[in-house]
Amino acid sequence: MWREVVELGAAVESLSAVRGTRTEADVAVLWDWHSWWAQNLDWRPSEDHDARERADAFYEALYDRHLTVDFAHPEADLAKYPLVVVPALYLMTEAAGNNLREYVEGGGTLVVSYFSGIVDQHDAVHEGPYPGALRDVLGLTVEEFSPLLRGERVRITGPDGAELSGDVWTEFVEPRGAETVWTYADGLTAGRPAVTRHRLGEGTAWYVSTRLGAEGLDALLGRAAEDARVAPRAGLPRDVEVVRRSGGTGSYLFAINHTATDTKVPLETSGTELLTGERAAGRLAVPAGAVRVVRLDG
């Protein structure tokens, strides 16, 4: 253990140039503690809906696609993110709703999950149809919530014939400019939109009205990432994490191998690996459980 501590100290010293750089994220996931607290109060349509579970599920799906994620407040400046995800934002201020509209109109891609934009900061329902703060940007209204019984599932079909499934929640969605991408195939909402896509200004807003599993989230985020022109990093095994940081001292690529198997990470440009001092080009070798940091040339 002592040798490991000494080794860590030497590694940190060799990474001193990284100080002050910032992570370059592909996606912002919106999170607001006030919304989470409000959503945990009693008398919601379904006790099985869990905002934290949706945030975790969306994050895991993005992680599995090797996309780097920031967490951001709904009223923050989102212009630098090509893709913004709203997993479960029950409480949303008017300012946050306007912020997301401006983001999409300016060319951003937005993905919103069900039961979002329902109330304002006082837990008062927004005027007009659901989802009040987001209905214009999503191009739809929700006529009625239709939560599912515990263990109940619904089938969802897409234009390519692929079939997905959802649980916990469904809605009677009425498009108001949005196009239907996936449709409920059974249940009370059979024939109604399950996932929609709305073009607004220069951007696109997606809405999913049920709780999708891992396969469904991957399919949804894959389509949204295409709209956002965010390509997942090719050639990376599962649980090998690659993050890029940049700042006044240059650009750095962090590769973290969370697996028990040695791997190689493709490099777009050559550089110098800071922990070993070796040159890296083409593919970067990352031993099992190890970290490598490359200062990229140029």
Side-chain angles (χ1 to χ4, degrees):
M1 185 179 293
W2 167 248
R3 292 184 182 279
E4 289 180 351
V5 171
V6 171
E7 182 181 348
L8 176 61
V12 170
E13 184 177 6
S14 69
L15 298 179
S16 60
V18 178
R19 186 184 298 117
T21 59
R22 303 280 296 183
T23 299
E24 297 179 7
D26 306 298
V27 186
V29 172
L30 301 192
W31 180 263
D32 179 19
W33 286 109
H34 294 92
S35 178
W36 181 69
W37 293 330
Q39 202 161 319
N40 283 342
L41 295 174
D42 293 334
W43 312 116
R44 299 301 176 232
S46 172
E47 64 179 14
D48 296 325
H49 170 56
D50 184 341
R52 173 60 189 271
E53 181 277 332
R54 282 294 80 190
D56 288 348
F58 272 92
Y59 177 84
E60 289 172 11
L62 292 164
Y63 175 86
D64 287 342
R65 295 186 71 83
H66 299 289
L67 296 176
T68 303
V69 174
D70 274 350
F71 283 86
H73 189 271
E75 296 180 19
D77 183 1
L78 304 172
K80 67 180 179 180
Y81 301 105
L83 179 61
V84 169
V85 173
V86 181
L89 206 59
Y90 161 75
L91 182 151
M92 182 177 290
T93 64
E94 182 178 351
N98 291 335
N99 189 40
L100 293 182
R101 181 187 180 99
E102 292 174 3
Y103 166 76
V104 175
E105 288 178 333
T109 299
L110 180 69
V111 176
V112 177
S113 188
Y114 62 90
F115 206 43
S116 293
I118 306 302
V119 301
D120 64 14
Q121 64 269 30
H122 305 294
D123 203 21
V125 174
H126 287 284
E127 292 185 5
Y130 298 135
L134 290 170
R135 60 177 176 264
D136 292 337
V137 70
L138 295 174
L140 56 83
T141 57
V142 174
E143 294 183 347
E144 191 173 351
F145 305 134
S146 185
L148 300 176
L149 297 175
R150 187 165 296 178
E152 186 180 4
R153 304 188 69 82
V154 290
R155 292 185 301 112
I156 302 166
T157 56
D160 54 0
E163 188 171 292
L164 304 172
S165 68
D167 64 1
V168 172
W169 192 278
T170 62
E171 294 175 340
F172 290 87
V173 173
E174 186 67 33
R176 307 286 183 184
E179 62 175 301
T180 299
V181 182
W182 280 288
T183 304
Y184 289 112
D186 55 17
L188 295 177
T189 53
R192 295 271 189 154
V195 177
T196 62
R197 178 178 180 269
H198 184 222
R199 291 287 301 174
L200 181 66
E202 300 298 318
T204 305
W206 290 78
Y207 183 64
V208 53
S209 62
T210 187
R211 190 177 79 163
L212 296 174
E215 181 183 1
L217 286 178
D218 183 67
L220 168 68
L221 293 171
R223 292 285 300 274
E226 289 178 6
D227 281 346
R229 297 181 176 84
V230 176
R233 294 178 177 87
L236 289 180
R238 184 181 176 86
D239 288 332
V240 174
E241 188 176 1
V242 174
V243 177
R244 187 163 177 163
R245 299 179 66 94
S246 62
T249 59
S251 292
Y252 303 84
L253 186 139
F254 283 69
I256 308 172
N257 185 355
H258 296 285
T259 76
T261 305
D262 295 350
T263 191
K264 291 186 177 181
V265 171
L267 293 176
E268 296 179 2
T269 60
S270 58
T272 301
E273 206 289 308
L274 298 183
L275 299 177
T276 63
E278 298 176 354
R279 290 290 296 171
R283 297 183 71 82
L284 173 67
V286 187
V291 178
R292 292 291 181 263
V293 183
V294 179
R295 181 173 184 171
L296 302 172
D297 295 337

